[in-house]
Amino acid sequence: MNDWGKDFMAQDIAEVLLSEEVIRARVKELGEQLSRDYAGKEVVLVCILKGACVFFADLARQMTVHIKMDFMGISSYGDAMKTSGIVRITKDMDTSITDRHVIIAEDIMDSGLTLSHLTRLLSARNPASMRICCLLDKPERRECDITPDYCGFLIPNKFVVGYGLDYEGRYRNLPYVGVLKPEVYSDR
Ligand code: IMP
Ligand code: MG
């Protein structure tokens, strides 16, 4: 295997926060928990693009109930490090969620503004139920009253990349979650 690309990216990582093994084990647990909680039901598992794509693909394969996969593209105004919470749908789901059980798969909850805006928007479509499943949660940063129904890991207030999470579109393909060296973003 050619590891050049990963080593190159790894130079920008200060610390591995969650290894591949740790993530794999926790995603398996989440999948098992969701399968128990939704036993006998069909779920619409919604991937919030792009950050949740890796988590979504792994989580879906740990679920044993019937799911329909759907995808939503969201763009929030703000800079690369922080959202303004004003979200715009750049790609809507293909399926109707009315009277369906919806699970939103998201990469990280930070201020919470993105998900609070999104859930308000999706509630108007009258799903039978709607819950949030986040891989990561930075509760210290919360600016509104929202908590994920399912959460992979609580993490400290550090900017992380990998396993789908990006800085300026990069590092999503790192297989682990790492803390980005501050000089990588303060140099620009
Ligand atoms: P919120 O609206 O502040 O909760 O922000 C959610 C979005 O901000 C996430 O979907 C990410 O795209 C981005 N984000 C927040 N924290 C981080 C981080 O540490 N690394 C990468 N992206 C982040
Ligand atoms: Mg992002």
Side-chain angles (χ1 to χ4, degrees), residues 83 106-108 110-114 138 158-160 165-166:
T83 175
E106 176 60 310
D107 54 358
I108 186 166
D110 189 34
S111 70
L113 293 169
T114 305
K138 283 186 199 168
K158 291 178 175 172
F159 194 80
V160 294
L165 290 111
D166 74 303

Side-chain angles (χ1 to χ4, degrees), residues 45-98:
L45 188 64
V46 182
C47 174
I48 306 302
L49 297 170
K50 299 170 183 147
C53 67
V54 179
F55 174 48
F56 173 85
D58 284 347
L59 181 66
R61 287 176 293 171
Q62 296 299 334
M63 291 174 69
T64 51
V65 292
H66 279 301
I67 66 165
K68 297 252 170 93
M69 295 184 174
D70 216 327
F71 301 85
M72 251 183 127
I74 298 242
S75 139
S76 73
Y77 300 97
D79 59 31
M81 310 285 297
K82 194 181 177 320
T83 175
S84 65
I86 309 296
V87 301
R88 189 167 56 88
I89 296 181
T90 54
K91 186 225 169 291
D92 205 343
M93 285 180 258
D94 298 325
T95 33
S96 162
I97 55 165
T98 305

Side-chain angles (χ1 to χ4, degrees), residues 13-27 30 54-55 107-108 134-138 151-156 158-165 171 174-180:
I13 302 302
E15 145 200 21
V16 176
L17 199 61
L18 305 165
S19 70
E20 283 186 77
E21 293 71 27
V22 164
I23 297 172
R24 194 179 307 118
R26 183 65 184 128
V27 172
L30 284 174
V54 179
F55 174 48
D107 54 358
I108 186 166
C134 259
L135 178 71
L136 309 174
D137 185 6
K138 283 186 199 168
C151 167
F153 303 93
L154 293 175
I155 64 162
K158 291 178 175 172
F159 194 80
V160 294
V161 293
Y163 199 73
L165 290 111
Y171 307 101
L174 274 178
Y176 53 82
V177 172
V179 178
L180 193 61

Side-chain angles (χ1 to χ4, degrees), residues 95-154:
T95 33
S96 162
I97 55 165
T98 305
D99 299 329
R100 312 291 304 276
H101 296 287
V102 175
I103 301 173
I104 300 173
E106 176 60 310
D107 54 358
I108 186 166
M109 193 182 280
D110 189 34
S111 70
L113 293 169
T114 305
L115 277 171
S116 120
H117 195 94
L118 184 69
T119 48
R120 224 175 306 131
L121 209 137
L122 295 181
S123 306
R125 300 182 187 179
N126 297 313
S129 68
M130 183 167 56
R131 286 183 179 156
I132 298 168
C133 181
C134 259
L135 178 71
L136 309 174
D137 185 6
K138 283 186 199 168
E140 276 174 58
R141 299 257 302 173
R142 201 70 88 252
E143 289 174 29
C144 55
D145 183 21
I146 183 169
T147 17
D149 302 283
Y150 301 89
C151 167
F153 303 93
L154 293 175

